């Protein structure tokens, strides 16, 4: 940079490094480099390059001599320069006035004999004047390389004269005010803070101390303190704390001096040790004297004092001191005074400061108690309500809300125990872990044989006394749901991420082949010779291969009555007034009839509950002979797109157009949807119906009355003869979903339910499972969050404490009352039920007329895992908005805050021809509540709270029966029904075998499927090709609450059993071994995560117990057997659901990426790895709109070492071992961006996974194909209609922040916590009709 000096002023110009040509007085000036003393206006600049030029000047004009500069006494000697004593920066004139004065000051510092007080005053006064009047003087002093600051600080130490000291302090104040950040840093680095403290100590010894000196010292300290990290320690060690406090005590009425002292005190208090020391010195009481009583005088003083007080009260000791001193009511009244008098809201910072003080006091238990006793809840609630209309006061409202939520008395959950209502005896108890801890406690749950027994006296596990600091500042909750399961294994493999020997896949099998030979019977296809099979016969001739699995009711041991509630016969779950407990309780092996007494004086004839064994459903006779309505078969429809000459050409064209092959937008699929919807212009229901004779009116859609008194079916129900009280002639026309859905049959489903074993001995069928679900054709966008919705819900909760008389607090449903969980009333309350397969609702409490608190049941043999819910609601009123609060959620984060809605199934809508689950609910939010979570349920952590999921709903039909669920239900009986239907649809070209892998703890069968293509003949070549096909091993539903995994599996199975050329080619390419449901017991009993053993089965793969974890033990044994016979699967994939992220993605295993992630040093040989593990996810990112490559991770984490994915990779040696996670919420990329996911997209994903396997076959088996040059194009997707663009995936921590605070933090769970390490992504082009969909997250990028 070139600097121009003109009368002491510097001017910057831009110039290149070379020689320049300038014009001065019409004469050229050649400048090699240097400084020029002339006006910058004389120069015509030719270049814009900025450069710093050395201090050498060459003049070529004869008139440039000393006389040329004689007009000014301040000039730069261009010919001969004398080097000053002070070091200066290059380009800074060495004889500028301020530097010359500093040089004099430096000389005086060095000569102790020559220090003259008067001279020092004059010099410092001149320096101060220059800095005050000329900005460039300050820049010279603080310029880089200048020693000006050292000279000033040395002078401050050496001179004892008061005026000189004040002048220097004024100089420092001027210097540090401008360019504060860098200059203060220089000041601190030169030791300035210590010098100021030493000067403060010295000045305090004078009696009386100089007020001006103290004022300036504290003003400087207030500026320096925030930039000095060791400021608090220095102040304490130097003894400055007490000096400042004493000055404040002596000058309470001197606002001028008090203000800088308070500013310094505010910085002192940020150090916790200082805060405690100041509290002991009475500073808390001193601050309260300053801020109280209310006064608008010296408001700046009040603001700083409140800031200092707030910092002091962060200390628990000071908070207790404030409580003991009775200062909480004072602060509350003071806040109320400011609220009432600050009508123009000019002093919001003072009001905020008071709230901060209250917030810090209420961090301790005594503070919360004092706050409540001081009527703080009412004061803050009323003031906040008045502030709501003013948007600028939101900081006050939010802080008040935080304080009120914190001070809301911690209530216990309205439960006798947090253990599950139901208990299942285990063959033996694990030696350690959460289940062992649970069994060490006195029993609280009820076994299937103890439903009516009196519970034993037990330890209260619902709530415990917490420490003072419970739930204080921001929550940083970590995942505790799996902590107990994992900590017992960490000691052995704590370093799996960094120890390469442990990370490497194991070379030797863990079990001998002799033990595994028993599993040979599950692999008959590897030895089948088909010599007795007639390839010319029809499908019936191949029945010996069809199945060894019997999942129907004929093989079951249960003969209990299964009840479908009717409109006129009261179901067993309703307890009549005159009925005994024995009448109200269904038994397992006795088919009893229950008498029902009506509440009226003339009761009708007793009606018996409907038993499934006696159900006879007759379909419409007029349509009986007609062909069934074709269901949506996307694979069949696709085969008509291209009709190539040969099968190979078919496969090629199918693969080239793979997006069209599995797209939901196909014309055939839409036509099928139109048939499914089947709604006429008048809105009449579909034509595919069945007539159901009374009393099977399916649903109690009419008002249920005690004793089964008459029903009031209206025209809405579409029933005939409903006015017949006896119901004998009533006929209800309902959709024949067996004709609408290819794999659904209500009759068959009822049969399957009979063979399903449940711990609660469920005897009812839920209507959605009976009717079936037809995916709606309309789009369901992510719900846009309304500003203030969480705050309004919290305020409604606070009203319960403030206005307790408005709370009904009436229990309307309670599974803990074993004899009669449904509590009848006068019809003013909703009726709830969850006593059906996969149902989960433990208790319902009516808190207001249209508001209900709901409590979920823990997983059996567990005391936590509350997320999955599935329950029935009836008795609603049209036009009223109901609010439901699920109050014992455990996760601290949820996609319900980011657009996800709950699912609802209306029986009225189903009867009208729309049998489907729909996303519903408004004012949805998820937040921490006031129900305490005991340390027993929180992994030993105290002070944790549960979370509330709240949503509101308005019902459209009177006397409807509606079901609500966390996600689309998919029961175990549904799986059995689908497998039976798939078997019936098998063609002779499909090899399908169903085996019973094992029996679960609950007595349910775990099915194992084998699917491939039949050999063309029984010739040796064809049999050899059949036996040597690569294996694909798939599993799903190890976590019962992840129902989306079953829907993806359904899509996979349908595709594999389809008739399209793609499906045929896929069957010819692979042998599929599929375990569609790894945890049937958990699914049946409504668990969220565990099996009946109370353990997460996906944490048992390392050492599964054959008695406690039979499905995992035998599934792993299958894989071990394959490894022994050198037939390890090409791909292993476990289908899961994800509650924290959007889209569908995969987790895989990579040695190299794990090493990179853990920063472990490794040799080049350790980093050599086949990248084939990325091929399948890459293909999916090209063909599946919902798949996100950016969300995939291939890191092997210690916490995941016992999951299926990692164990199969390490122990079985399967390189392509994956977990495929499907979102429970929706998508934020591709064609479905901004939409909530439905069963259609999930099934589509299952089908697209199959297509990806077919493309993978081309990559891994090129020797069997002619297209060797297609490998690269397959990887980059040039043949598919894909557009590459940056990913729009957003992690939950990066979700858009709302204008109001959301009180939760990110929490990991199972596979939920996998990190992202892939930044690039391939996403599909967004169709125009979806491009306008609002997505609040789309503006944020990773």
């Amino acid at each position: 940079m070139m600097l121009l000096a003109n009368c002491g002023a510097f001017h910057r110009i831009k110039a290149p490094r070379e020689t320049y040509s300038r014009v001065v007085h019409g004469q050229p000036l050649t400048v090699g480099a240097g400084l020029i003393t002339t006006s910058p206006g004389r120069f015509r600049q030719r270049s814009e390059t900025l450069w710093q030029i050395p201090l050498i000047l060459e003049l070529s004009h004869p008139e440039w001599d000393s006389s040329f500069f004689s007009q000014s006494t301040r000039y730069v000697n261009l010919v001969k320069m004398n080097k000053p004593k002070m070091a200066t920066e290059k380009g800074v004139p060495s004889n500028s006035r301020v530097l010359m004065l500093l040089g004099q000051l430096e000389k005086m510092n060095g000569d102790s004999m020559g220090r003259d007080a008067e001279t020092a005053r004059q010099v410092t006064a001149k320096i101060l004047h220059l800095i005050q009047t000329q900005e460039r003087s300050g820049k010279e002093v603080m310029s880089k390389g200048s020693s000006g600051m050292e000279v000033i600080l040395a002078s401050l130490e050496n001179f004892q004269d008061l005026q000189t000291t004040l002048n220097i302090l004024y100089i420092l104040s001027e210097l540090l005010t401008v360019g504060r950040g860098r200059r203060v840093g220089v000041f601190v680095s030169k030791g300035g803070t210590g010098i100021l403290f030493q000067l403060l100590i010295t000045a305090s010894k004078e009696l009386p101390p100089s007020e001006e000196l103290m004022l300036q010292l504290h003003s400087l300290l207030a500026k320096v303190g925030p930039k000095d990290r060791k400021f608090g320690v220095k102040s304490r060690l130097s003894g400055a704390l007490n000096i400042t406090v004493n000055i404040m005590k002596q000058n309470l009425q001197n606002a001028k001096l008090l203000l800088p002292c308070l500013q310094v005190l505010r910085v002192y208090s940020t150090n916790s040790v200082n805060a405690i020391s100041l509290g002991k010195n009475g500073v808390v009481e001193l601050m309260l004297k300053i801020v109280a009583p209310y006064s608008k005088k010296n408001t700046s003083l009040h603001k700083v004092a409140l800031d200092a007080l707030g910092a002091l009260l962060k200390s628990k000791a000071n908070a207790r001191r404030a409580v003991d001193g009775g200062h909480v009511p004072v602060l509350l009244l003071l806040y109320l005074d400011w609220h009432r008098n600050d009508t123009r809201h000019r002093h919001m910072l003072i009001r905020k400061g008071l709230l901060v003080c209250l917030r810090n006091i209420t961090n301790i238990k005594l503070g919360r108690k004092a706050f409540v006793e001081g009527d703080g809840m009412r004061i803050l609630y009323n003031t906040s309500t008045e502030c709501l209309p003013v948007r600028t006061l939101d900081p006050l409202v939010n802080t008040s809300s935080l304080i009120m939520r914190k001070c809301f008395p911690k209530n216990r959950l309205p439960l006798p125990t947090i253990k599950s209502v139901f208990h299942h005896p285990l063959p033996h108890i694990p030696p350690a872990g959460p289940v062992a801890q649970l069994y060490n406690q006195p029993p609280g749950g009820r076994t299937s044989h103890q439903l009516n027994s009196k519970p034993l006296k037990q330890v209260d596990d619902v709530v415990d006394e917490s420490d003072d600091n419970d739930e204080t500042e921001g929550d940083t909750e970590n995942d505790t749901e799996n902590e107990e399961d994992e900590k017992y294994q960490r000691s052995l493999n704590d370093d799996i991420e960094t120890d390469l020997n442990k990370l490497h896949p194991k070379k030797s099998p863990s079990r001998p082949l002799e033990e595994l030979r028993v599993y040979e019977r599950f692999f008959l296809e590897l030895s089948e010779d088909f010599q007795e099979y007639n390839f010319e016969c029809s499908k019936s001739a191949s029945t010996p291969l069809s199945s060894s699995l019997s999942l129907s009711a004929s093989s079951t041991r249960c003969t209990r009555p299964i009840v479908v509630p009717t409109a006129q016969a009261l179901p067993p779950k309703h307890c009549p007034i005159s009925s005994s407990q024995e009448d109200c309780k269904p038994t397992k092996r006795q088919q009893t009839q229950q008498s029902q007494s009506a509440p009226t004086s003339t009761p009708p004839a007793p009606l018996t509950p409907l038993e499934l064994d006696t159900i006879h459903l007759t379909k419409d006779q007029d349509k009986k002979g007609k062909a069934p309505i074709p269901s949506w078969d996307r694979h069949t429809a696709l085969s008509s797109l291209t009709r190539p000459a040969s099968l190979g050409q078919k496969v090629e064209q199918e693969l080239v157009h793979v997006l069209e092959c599995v797209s939901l937008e196909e014309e055939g699929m839409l036509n099928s949807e139109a048939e499914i919807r089947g709604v006429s212009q008048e809105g009449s229901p579909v034509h595919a119906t069945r007539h159901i004779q009374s009393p099977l009116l399916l649903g109690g859609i009419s008002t249920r009355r005690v004793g089964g008194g008459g029903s009031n079916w209206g025209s809405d129900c579409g029933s005939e003869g409903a006015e017949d009280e006896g119901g004998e002639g009533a006929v209800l026309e309902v959709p024949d979903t067996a004709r609408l859905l290819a794999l659904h049959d209500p009759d068959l489903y009822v049969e399957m339910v009979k063979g399903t074993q449940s711990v609660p001995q469920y005897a009812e069928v839920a209507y959605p499972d009976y009717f079936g679900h037809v995916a709606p054709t309309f789009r369901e966008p992510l719900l846009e969050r309304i500003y203030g919705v969480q705050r309004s819900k919290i305020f409604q909760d606070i009203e319960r404490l403030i206005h307790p008389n408005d709370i009904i607090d009436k229990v309307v449903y309670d599974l803990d009352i074993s004899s009669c969980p449904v509590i009848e009333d006068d019809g003013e309350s909703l009726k709830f039920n969850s006593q059906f397969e996969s149902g989960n609702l433990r208790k319902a409490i009516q808190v207001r007329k249209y508001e209900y608190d709901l409590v979920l049941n823990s997983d059996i043999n567990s005391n936590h895992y509350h997320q999955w819910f599935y329950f029935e609601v009836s008795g609603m009123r049209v036009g009223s908005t109901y609010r439901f609060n699920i109050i014992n959620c455990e996760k601290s984060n949820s996609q319900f805050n980011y657009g996800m809605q709950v699912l609802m199934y209306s029986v009225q809508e189903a009867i009208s021809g729309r049998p489907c689950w729909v996303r519903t609910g408004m004012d949805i939010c998820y937040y921490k509540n006031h129900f305490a979570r005991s340390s027993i349920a929180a992994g030993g952590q105290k002070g944790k709270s549960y979370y509330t999921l709240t949503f509101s709903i308005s019902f459209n039909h009177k006397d409807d029966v509606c079901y609500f669920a966390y996600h689309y239900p998919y029961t175990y009986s549904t799986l059995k029904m689908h497998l039976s239907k798939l078997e019936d649809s098998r063609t002779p070209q499909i090899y399908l075998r169903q085996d019973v892998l094992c029996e679960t703890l609950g007595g349910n069968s775990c099915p194992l499927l084998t699917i491939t293509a039949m050999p063309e003949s029984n010739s040796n070549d064809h049999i050899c090709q059949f036996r040597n096909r690569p294996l694909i091993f798939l599993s799903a539903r190890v976590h019962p609450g992840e129902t989306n995994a079953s829907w993806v599996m359904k899509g996979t199975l349908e595709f594999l059993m389809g008739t399209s050329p793609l499906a045929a080619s896929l069957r010819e390419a692979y042998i599929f071994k599929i375990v569609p449901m790894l945890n049937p017991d958990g699914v049946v009993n409504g668990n969220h995560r565990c099996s009946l053993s109370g353990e997460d089965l996906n944490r048992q793969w390392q050492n599964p117990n054959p008695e406690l974890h039979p499905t995992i033990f035998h599934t792993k044994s299958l894989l071990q057997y394959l490894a022994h016979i050198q037939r390890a699967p090409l791909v292993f994939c476990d289908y899961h659901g994800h509650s924290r992220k959007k889209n569908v993605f995969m987790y895989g295993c990579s040695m190299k990426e794990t090493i990179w992630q853990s920063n472990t040093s490794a040799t080049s040989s350790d980093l050599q790895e086949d990248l084939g593990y990325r091929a399948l996810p890459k293909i999916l990112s090209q063909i599946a709109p919902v798949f996100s490559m950016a969300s995939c991770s291939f890191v092997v984490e210690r916490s995941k070492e016992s999951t299926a994915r990692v164990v199969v990779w390490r122990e079985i040696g399967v390189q392509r071992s994956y977990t495929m996670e499907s979102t429970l919420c929706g998508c934020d990329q591709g064609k479905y961006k901004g939409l909530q996911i439905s069963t259609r997209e999930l099934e589509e994903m299952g089908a697209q996974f199959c297509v990806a396997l077919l493309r993978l076959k081309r990559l891994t088996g090129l020797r069997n194909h002619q297209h060797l040059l297609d490998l690269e194009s397959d990887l980059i997707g040039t043949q598919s209609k894909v557009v590459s663009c940056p990913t729009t995936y957003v992690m939950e921590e990066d979700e858009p922040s709302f204008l109001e605070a959301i009180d939760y933090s990110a929490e990991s769970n199972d596979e939920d916590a996998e990190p992202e390490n892939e930044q690039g992504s391939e996403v599909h082009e967004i169709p125009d009709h979806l491009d306008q969909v609002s997505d609040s997250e789309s503006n944020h990028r990773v």
Side-chain angles (χ1 to χ4, degrees), residues 1192-1313:
C1192 296
S1193 173
F1194 304 94
V1195 176
V1196 180
E1197 292 182 321
R1198 179 189 63 197
S1199 60
K1200 307 301 184 297
E1201 63 173 335
S1202 57
T1203 60
R1205 166 178 61 93
V1206 178
V1207 170
V1208 172
W1209 175 70
R1210 290 182 65 212
E1211 298 185 19
I1212 311 301
V1214 178
Q1215 181 195 31
R1216 297 177 177 86
S1217 179
Y1218 305 104
T1219 295
M1220 187 165 71
E1221 301 275 359
S1222 301
T1223 179
L1224 293 165
C1225 178
C1227 301
D1228 58 12
Q1229 67 166 34
K1231 63 187 285 189
Y1232 301 127
K1233 179 179 179 180
L1235 299 177
Q1236 297 185 78
I1237 202 162
S1238 71
T1239 57
R1240 178 174 289 110
E1241 288 78 49
L1242 293 171
E1243 292 183 53
E1244 179 190 68
M1245 185 66 232
Q1248 288 163 335
F1249 181 82
C1250 294
V1251 175
L1253 290 175
L1254 193 54
R1255 302 194 78 187
L1256 181 67
K1257 175 65 176 178
R1258 301 179 63 204
L1259 301 180
T1260 58
L1262 294 176
R1263 54 188 170 84
N1264 297 326
H1265 297 272
Q1266 300 297 322
H1267 305 283
L1268 297 176
L1269 300 179
D1270 289 343
L1271 174 60
E1272 185 64 23
S1273 63
D1274 273 328
L1275 288 177
I1276 63 176
T1278 55
Q1279 292 186 349
S1280 59
K1281 298 180 179 180
V1282 177
V1283 177
S1284 176
C1285 65
T1287 179
T1288 58
Y1289 180 77
V1290 181
M1291 287 189 66
E1292 64 271 10
E1293 294 87 349
D1294 298 327
E1295 296 277 8
S1297 56
F1298 299 105
L1299 297 180
E1300 59 179 312
I1302 298 177
D1303 187 27
Y1304 63 76
S1305 60
E1307 179 181 58
S1308 303
N1309 185 12
D1310 189 49
E1311 297 287 350
D1312 300 6

Side-chain angles (χ1 to χ4, degrees), residues 1028-1041:
N1028 289 292
R1029 293 169 184 168
L1031 276 82
I1032 304 292
F1033 204 107
L1034 306 178
S1035 62
R1037 206 67 183 281
V1038 69
H1039 294 143

Side-chain angles (χ1 to χ4, degrees), residues 44-89:
R44 183 170 68 247
Q45 186 170 338
R46 294 183 178 181
S47 175
E48 295 298 326
T49 305
L50 186 65
W51 200 263
Q52 184 172 346
I53 302 175
L55 294 172
I56 300 175
L57 180 65
E58 296 178 359
L59 295 177
S60 61
H61 198 279
E63 295 182 2
W64 283 64
D65 55 13
S66 60
S67 62
F68 180 81
F69 304 102
S70 61
Q71 298 178 1
S72 174
T73 58
R74 291 172 294 179
Y75 66 92
V76 178
N77 190 336
L78 301 176
V79 179
K80 189 175 182 179
M81 293 182 287
N82 296 323
K83 185 177 180 181
K85 293 182 180 181
M86 289 187 55
T88 59
E89 184 186 9

